[in-house]
Amino acid sequence: MHHHRLLRFCGIGLMVLLPLMIGGCNESGICLSNQHAVQVSLISAHTGKDTTLTTSVFGAGRSDSVYASQALSKLFLPLEFDHDPDTTFFVIKTKTTADTLAFLYRKELDFISGECGYVFSFTIDGVAHTTNKIDYSTIVYPTVKYGEDLTNVQVYIY
């Protein structure tokens, strides 16, 4: 009698989980990520805690913005993979000031799957910036890999 209940429970569980597993494995669900984005946390230089900054962020020399006048405590900044040497520059603009934030990095091709193909992973070697609103920055986790959700850089704001 207990075996019948267990089998029925397992059968119901499989009927519920199987469509979720199949639906979760389509190409669009697997291949979407921030694999080219450095994850930057904004920290108050005064308190050492997470802070929010109302800012616009755009790639230096580009007209399109990554963020348009938003209150942010974390930035996802996409790295370019067609520059030599490997550098990407961003402008972080508030109402009264602007800073340039630059990443120096190395890139490597990684095979993900037949559906997703290859993606770049990056190793951040350095961060440079102006000091209008940014006090200093630190690299916390230098590797930017497919599907990871880790803070790579902390930027300390005045």
Side-chain angles (χ1 to χ4, degrees):
M1 186 164 190
H2 293 289
H3 294 292
H4 292 295
R5 274 194 247 167
L6 181 60
L7 287 174
R8 193 168 64 201
F9 175 76
C10 288
I12 291 171
L14 188 58
M15 287 178 9
V16 170
L17 289 177
L18 190 57
L20 291 175
M21 290 176 1
I22 292 170
C25 292
N26 67 36
E27 184 178 327
S28 64
I30 291 172
C31 298
L32 295 178
S33 78
N34 287 320
Q35 74 261 23
H36 299 122
V38 173
Q39 298 182 43
V40 177
S41 292
L42 300 178
I43 309 291
S44 168
H46 302 291
T47 66
K49 296 182 180 183
D50 291 346
T51 192
T52 301
L53 183 65
T54 300
T55 186
S56 296
V57 180
F58 52 92
R62 296 181 176 250
S63 59
D64 56 333
S65 63
V66 179
Y67 297 100
S69 192
Q70 294 175 278
L72 302 165
S73 60
K74 193 164 197 164
L75 307 173
F76 296 89
L77 302 176
L79 295 176
E80 296 188 36
F81 42 89
D82 58 353
H83 285 184
D84 191 21
D86 293 325
T87 54
T88 302
F89 295 86
F90 295 93
V91 176
I92 299 173
K93 186 177 179 183
T94 64
K95 285 184 181 180
T96 58
T97 62
D99 274 302
T100 300
L101 181 63
F103 298 98
L104 177 63
Y105 50 90
R106 290 173 279 130
K107 62 183 176 276
E108 180 179 317
L109 269 178
D110 289 331
F111 179 74
I112 301 301
S113 70
E115 293 152 344
C116 297
Y118 291 87
V119 296
F120 280 106
S121 61
F122 302 92
T123 302
I124 302 169
D125 292 323
V127 179
H129 55 79
T130 55
T131 56
N132 294 314
K133 191 77 172 167
I134 298 174
D135 188 13
Y136 64 97
S137 63
T138 56
I139 299 171
V140 182
Y141 185 71
T143 305
V144 179
K145 279 197 165 287
Y146 180 84
E148 288 187 341
D149 187 22
L150 299 168
T151 296
N152 302 108
V153 174
Q154 292 176 326
V155 172
Y156 290 80
I157 306 295
Y158 287 118

